[in-house]
Amino acid sequence: MNAIRIAVDCMGGDSGLPVTIPACLAFAQTHPDASLLLVGLPDELAAALSAARKSFPDVQPSRYQVIAASEVVQMDDPVEVALRRKKDSSMRVAAQLVKDGLADACVSAGNTGAWMAISRYVLKTLDGIDRPAIATLLPNQIGGATIVLDLGANVDCTAEHLFQFAIMGIALAQANLSDHRPSVGLLNIGEEIIKGNDVVKQAADLLRASSLNFHGNVEGNDIFKGTVDVVVCDGFVGNVVLKSAEGLARMLGSMIKEEFNRSWLTRLMGLTALPVLSRFRKRVDNRQYNGAALLGLRGVVIKSHGSADAYGFSCALERARNAVTTGLLDRITASIGQMNQSRSLATQSAAGDNT
Amino acid sequence: MNAIRIAVDCMGGDSGLPVTIPACLAFAQTHPDASLLLVGLPDELAAALSAARKSFPDVQPSRYQVIAASEVVQMDDPVEVALRRKKDSSMRVAAQLVKDGLADACVSAGNTGAWMAISRYVLKTLDGIDRPAIATLLPNQIGGATIVLDLGANVDCTAEHLFQFAIMGIALAQANLSDHRPSVGLLNIGEEIIKGNDVVKQAADLLRASSLNFHGNVEGNDIFKGTVDVVVCDGFVGNVVLKSAEGLARMLGSMIKEEFNRSWLTRLMGLTALPVLSRFRKRVDNRQYNGAALLGLRGVVIKSHGSADAYGFSCALERARNAVTTGLLDRITASIGQMNQSRSLATQSAAGDNT
């Protein structure tokens, strides 16, 4: 078996090299089938590597290769600057390695807008996809994960875009959940409250007329209930939901910590319950879900959370590896074929309704 | 001091009378300054009352009055049915009592769309308000509560609507938080991800040109961080955020319960930590935030969660009482005056920009 080659923008994220390099070495240690192309400013990268290698003596230098880039996209760089003025950025070089067939996937924890723009510019979108979308896994109550997209790449969406997101989300679910016919729901508000949104209604018509396993409308709580495998929404709604969920989880976490830190007695109670609390914390640790997929591009592109630590970043690498081993791109391409079929069915059905 | 008179639709909600009647009596017991107009099917209401009265022997029958209604709006009744075919529903009668000056506020746990449509039809909107909005309090990390609106009354909003929501939200914050100059933020997505939404950008321009304490854009996590006192968004986004938050909180709650129920040992650990866990549960108990305000109407109208229990419903009554004692309506009316001023300033400023 050929090694799975992952190009990593080692400069991206809030911390950059001190996080990405140990994460890459830890990942290489766990996955002997993977090799890494470490992209970044060569001197800094070499220094970080030699510091981190001591902790991973088993990882042979043949498992990774340093690829030089002369520029770094900053977290606050406008998209235009990242795209037009920094043509030798570590992001750009990482995406180009995929484009040139030298890597099977690329990963960055940098500026989301820039990473989307650069990977889209370098790799181009797949035929039949108008807009790439950002998809992530969120844990659900039934012990699995719900895929949600779009998370912010597309603020204004047409029904057609939402339909394409459904296709791509289903392909990701097939790859991740090894389910042959994942269900998809359209995020909407409770029927009891006035009508829905026009775009969502039209998208529901398209989905209903297709051959996809369309569950119908779902509400916000269904994401965490696990009602469907894939939840589709526009990027504005998806981004707000994701960040609200992060905010709520953080608030609850800090409140429970506060309660256990109130006095020596409560701290003692916390110590007694530590095994349970640790297990709970591990279960809800959102680092394990780190690594959003930028779907709809001619290559596997993964975005890590900017604030990810080494464990979180290694989970994003894990996700890149999974996308390659499960043939995510082929699945999306195949789904697009089905989509074109569904679409023409939907068009025929709509034409039929009008006669 | 005159008693605060609250008209209660006792038939609404998932459980109806078995929840609303005990809640009303408990509320009357706690608040000697309030009297209640209990609206519903008279026979059933009388039966529920006589059953519940035994638990509240101190509440004199002079504190409440039964008002007959011959119909009940069901949770799944279409808005049209509720509004046009059930002209003597308990909802309608409760709103009419406010209209006729016989009550200072009205509360229902029934069908949200119907309650909004009926109260709007009966009471009409305030001058200067195009669209009433639904506002609620959500707990935040700094120990207070963030007001969020709209939560689903208005799916498609213009910048002007969002601006009006800001005005009303601020009035509610002044009433609830006793803060003279509450801050308001506009819900948007991270700047790093492509541009914002056009409507939100225009609303930000209006707010920036006004005399309001406008903080600027906020993101989903800011709701629970407590970055601002009031968060404004359209009803689609607000509804999805609220329901996602409910879903996430429920999931985390059931996971922590599962972990403590795993074995006799973990159950013992749970017992040991019970005082802390109970305190935490009490702190995050969302029943205390029950009671959304339907803002922009010529009367105080409160919507309880349909699934509220008696404690939750009494919190919604509490919110109605607060709105009356803090002069919410007068504050909104006064704010509309300021709004007209802000608006003309905004218009002048926009005209100035164009010259």
Side-chain angles (χ1 to χ4, degrees), chain A:
Chain A
M1 192 176 80
N2 285 327
I4 296 160
R5 301 154 308 167
I6 303 177
V8 184
D9 163 19
C10 297
M11 310 304 293
D14 297 345
S15 311
L17 294 163
V19 158
T20 56
I21 295 298
C24 285
L25 294 180
F27 174 79
Q29 188 165 280
T30 328
H31 297 289
D33 63 351
S35 70
L36 295 161
L37 302 169
L38 309 174
V39 187
L41 303 178
D43 295 348
E44 296 184 24
L45 212 161
L49 252 179
S50 76
R53 271 171 60 181
K54 291 164 200 142
S55 313
F56 301 92
D58 299 342
V59 179
Q60 297 303 315
S62 61
R63 301 284 308 286
Y64 51 84
Q65 191 184 341
V66 173
I67 309 278
S70 62
E71 288 165 306
V72 175
V73 172
Q74 301 302 324
M75 291 307 265
D76 54 357
D77 271 344
V79 169
E80 292 73 25
V81 170
L83 194 57
R84 307 232 168 85
R85 303 233 193 105
K86 294 187 170 176
K87 296 195 175 169
D88 193 43
S89 71
S90 51
M91 271 189 185
R92 180 77 164 258
V93 172
Q96 191 66 43
L97 287 165
V98 173
K99 169 75 178 174
D100 296 342
L102 298 170
D104 303 303
C106 52
V107 180
S108 176
N111 180 329
T112 312
W115 186 220
M116 175 56 100
I118 287 173
S119 55
R120 187 178 178 171
Y121 177 80
V122 171
L123 295 167
K124 312 297 178 210
T125 51
L126 289 163
D127 288 332
I129 297 295
D130 296 331
R131 306 254 200 110
I134 305 176
T136 197
L137 297 171
L138 288 173
N140 64 35
Q141 210 163 341
I142 54 172
T146 305
I147 288 171
V148 184
L149 76 166
D150 174 39
L151 297 176
N154 308 281
V155 161
D156 292 302
C157 292
T158 64
E160 181 62 39
H161 297 145
L162 295 178
F163 182 64
Q164 293 174 11
F165 298 169
I167 299 286
M168 297 192 291
I170 285 174
L172 185 61
Q174 286 171 331
N176 271 280
L177 315 172
S178 49
D179 178 346
H180 288 296
R181 210 167 139 64
S183 58
V184 61
L186 209 48
L187 198 56
N188 202 341
I189 66 173
E191 298 229 351
E192 86 268 20
I193 301 175
I194 322 279
K195 49 204 169 181
N197 162 315
D198 279 345
V199 171
V200 171
K201 279 192 218 161
Q202 289 164 20
D205 290 342
L206 288 177
L207 285 163
R208 215 169 283 118
S210 77
S211 57
L212 301 172
N213 183 8
F214 179 50
H215 172 274
N217 288 334
V218 293
E219 296 187 62
N221 49 332
D222 289 306
I223 296 171
F224 299 102
K225 238 189 197 169
T227 310
V228 290
D229 298 310
V230 180
V231 171
V232 167
C233 58
D234 72 46
F236 192 96
V237 172
N239 188 274
V240 169
V241 164
L242 183 72
K243 290 195 176 143
S244 307
E246 285 176 1
L248 176 58
R250 204 171 301 130
M251 180 186 81
L252 295 175
S254 81
M255 278 180 174
I256 205 163
K257 216 177 274 173
E258 263 172 51
E259 290 305 333
F260 276 111
N261 278 328
R262 207 167 270 281
S263 69
W264 65 266
L265 186 62
T266 58
R267 269 194 287 268
L268 193 66
M269 290 171 180
L271 270 180
T272 316
L274 198 61
V276 183
L277 294 173
S278 306
R279 211 181 144 118
F280 170 69
R281 189 155 55 186
K282 199 171 165 191
R283 202 166 150 192
V284 299
D285 182 355
N286 71 349
R287 292 179 301 169
Q288 66 193 299
Y289 298 99
N290 185 38
L294 272 51
L295 298 175
L297 300 170
R298 295 175 187 268
V300 173
V301 183
I302 300 291
K303 164 71 176 90
S304 160
H305 209 295
S307 66
D309 62 5
Y311 171 65
F313 194 76
S314 73
C315 292
L317 295 172
E318 199 83 62
R319 226 157 278 292
R321 178 179 168 275
N322 278 354
V324 176
T325 55
T326 58
L328 176 64
L329 278 195
D330 288 345
R331 283 177 195 273
I332 296 183
T333 310
S335 300
I336 292 171
Q338 287 173 7
M339 170 177 78
N340 287 334
Q341 221 180 340
S342 309
R343 264 170 164 180
S344 71
L345 280 173
T347 315
Q348 280 166 27
S349 145
D353 288 350
N354 291 336
T355 54

Side-chain angles (χ1 to χ4, degrees), chain B residues 199-217:
Chain B
V199 171
V200 171
K201 278 193 218 161
Q202 288 163 20
D205 290 341
L206 289 176
L207 285 162
R208 215 169 282 119
S210 77
S211 57
L212 301 172
N213 184 8
F214 179 50
H215 172 275
N217 289 335

Side-chain angles (χ1 to χ4, degrees), chain B residues 243-259:
Chain B
K243 290 196 176 144
S244 307
E246 286 175 2
L248 175 59
R250 204 171 302 129
M251 180 185 81
L252 295 175
S254 81
M255 278 181 176
I256 204 163
K257 216 176 276 172
E258 264 172 49
E259 291 304 332

Side-chain angles (χ1 to χ4, degrees), chain B residues 19 23 282 285-290 308-316:
Chain B
V19 158
K282 200 172 164 189
D285 182 354
N286 70 348
R287 293 179 302 168
Q288 65 192 300
Y289 297 99
N290 186 37
D309 62 6
Y311 171 66
F313 194 76
S314 75
C315 292

